Amino acid sequence: MFATLRRLYATLPDAAAAARTASTPKAVRIRRAEQGLDVEPLESDATPEGLTPSEFARYQRALAKGELLQDDGSNLTEAQWLEKLDSRRTRVRGVRQVVRDGEKETEVVGQKIYLPNIIFKMVRNYTPPGQPYNPYEATFRVPQSVTKTDIRSYLLAVYGVQTTYIRTDNYQSPVIKSRLRAATTISDRTYKRAVVGLVEPFYYPQMEEDMPKEEREARRKWLEQHFLVGKREADRQSYFLRVTRGSDGKGWKWRTGITANRGNILRLIAERRAEREQAIEDVKARIRGDRVKTPAETA
């Protein structure tokens, strides 16, 4: 019934296995490099059977303790042990088998929740400069109360996405201190980041600045038709035009391209200042002339 839930690491594509190796935490990579277990970039550190170094170490410890001994006296091989481990990892949680009328049925344990307040926000993967984008990874921002099991179950049950690994880390909001009030934090800066490994590649949509001109124009046209992205700006311009024009339309003048340029604006200001100064000089000259004529007339 749940055969589609199996996720065997040995059946992963080479690119997905290399992406899983690249997503290993930095401290683990440093420790493996000190032990001589580091690999070249864009290569997988898994064994031919599909075991990661951590899984291979667990297999060796279990083999040394005799935990892999079977009834016939032989030990589980690496492939058999990995298949058993994967079956436990991918077991369906939250259900149980019950017998009704002599037949086995799968019953969901718990209570259905409608309109949950759990938000999964998908963001772009962090790609170091000079490295290609990793399509076998997806990054989400999830609530801090969500566990790795919840993430795996959510992606599989809602979207049918099979995952190979999940790395999580918590980000705390910086504390803002002020003399006038108590220290506060920013709610949207506190979250949990989940980096999920994918079996099938997923390419995040390109940004508009990365698209060719034809694709960028087609995308903007599609957004305008379906989401009215540019309607708000058009309504804003129409509102300002209606307010500045007035009800009667008198005394309103449209600013053409002549006055819209900064150089033309400065030139017009200089011309008006020159006209004003010339008018002042003319008035001063007329006043001086009147003063010269006044003594002769009084004599």
Side-chain angles (χ1 to χ4, degrees):
M1 177 179 177
F2 300 107
T4 57
L5 302 182
R6 301 291 298 277
R7 56 180 182 93
L8 299 180
Y9 287 131
T11 61
L12 286 179
D14 295 338
R20 179 187 59 188
T21 302
S23 68
T24 306
K26 183 178 180 180
V28 178
R29 294 198 303 267
I30 294 175
R31 184 172 63 251
R32 290 178 181 175
E34 294 175 352
Q35 299 174 357
L37 301 177
D38 56 331
V39 295
E40 297 294 331
L42 303 181
E43 291 186 2
S44 175
D45 58 0
T47 62
E49 290 76 13
L51 275 72
T52 62
S54 300
E55 294 170 345
F56 183 73
R58 291 179 57 186
Y59 174 79
Q60 294 292 336
R61 288 194 298 269
L63 185 63
K65 294 179 180 179
E67 298 175 354
L68 306 181
L69 189 63
Q70 303 183 84
D71 297 337
D72 56 359
S74 61
N75 293 317
L76 290 175
T77 62
E78 296 181 10
Q80 293 174 347
W81 179 82
L82 180 60
E83 183 177 359
K84 183 179 179 181
L85 179 63
D86 289 341
S87 63
R88 181 181 180 277
R89 285 171 171 168
T90 57
R91 67 187 185 276
V92 180
R93 299 167 175 83
V95 297
R96 63 184 177 185
Q97 298 292 333
V98 296
V99 178
R100 293 178 180 173
D101 299 333
E103 296 182 357
K104 290 186 177 181
E105 296 182 1
T106 302
E107 182 183 21
V108 177
V109 180
Q111 183 180 0
K112 292 184 178 181
I113 300 176
Y114 298 94
L115 301 178
N117 57 352
I118 298 177
I119 299 176
F120 277 59
K121 181 180 179 181
M122 188 176 186
V123 297
R124 291 183 180 272
N125 297 338
Y126 169 73
T127 303
Q131 295 188 12
Y133 186 84
N134 185 2
Y136 289 95
E137 276 188 358
T139 305
F140 297 91
R141 290 187 179 183
V142 300
Q144 291 184 306
S145 59
V146 175
T147 63
K148 293 182 180 180
T149 303
D150 297 334
I151 297 173
R152 182 181 294 109
S153 302
Y154 175 85
L155 295 178
L156 183 60
V158 178
Y159 300 103
V161 177
Q162 297 183 3
T163 59
T164 57
Y165 59 87
I166 299 177
R167 323 281 192 196
T168 58
D169 43 15
N170 290 283
Y171 287 82
Q172 299 294 333
S173 171
V175 179
I176 301 176
K177 297 182 179 180
S178 176
R179 296 182 178 179
L180 303 179
R181 59 181 181 179
T184 59
T185 59
I186 305 176
S187 59
D188 59 345
R189 297 291 183 88
T190 300
Y191 59 91
K192 176 185 286 187
R193 187 188 69 162
V195 180
V196 179
L198 306 176
V199 177
E200 300 295 335
F202 172 78
Y203 293 90
Y204 205 91
Q206 289 184 340
M207 300 292 290
E208 287 191 359
E209 55 268 17
D210 298 332
M211 295 181 179
K213 182 178 179 181
E214 295 78 9
E215 294 184 8
R216 182 166 59 251
E217 294 178 352
R219 177 178 175 81
R220 291 178 178 176
K221 183 178 179 181
W222 184 86
L223 291 175
E224 174 62 28
Q225 292 177 352
H226 291 78
F227 300 101
L228 303 178
V229 175
K231 188 176 184 305
R232 179 178 179 275
E233 184 63 23
D235 294 343
R236 178 174 173 271
Q237 294 180 0
S238 176
Y239 169 76
F240 283 117
L241 179 63
R242 188 168 60 253
V243 171
T244 55
R245 187 170 183 176
S247 58
D248 53 356
K250 296 181 180 180
W252 180 83
K253 183 177 181 181
W254 178 258
R255 296 179 64 86
T256 60
I258 298 177
T259 57
N261 187 280
R262 182 174 181 273
N264 293 334
I265 293 175
L266 296 177
R267 181 176 56 80
L268 292 175
I269 293 175
E271 291 178 356
R272 293 174 183 175
R273 181 180 297 174
E275 293 176 359
R276 185 170 62 253
E277 293 178 353
Q278 183 62 36
I280 294 174
E281 292 295 332
D282 294 342
V283 173
K284 291 167 62 178
R286 181 165 53 81
I287 293 175
R288 293 192 190 99
D290 294 341
R291 289 178 179 176
V292 171
K293 294 179 182 179
T294 301
E297 293 176 356
T298 53

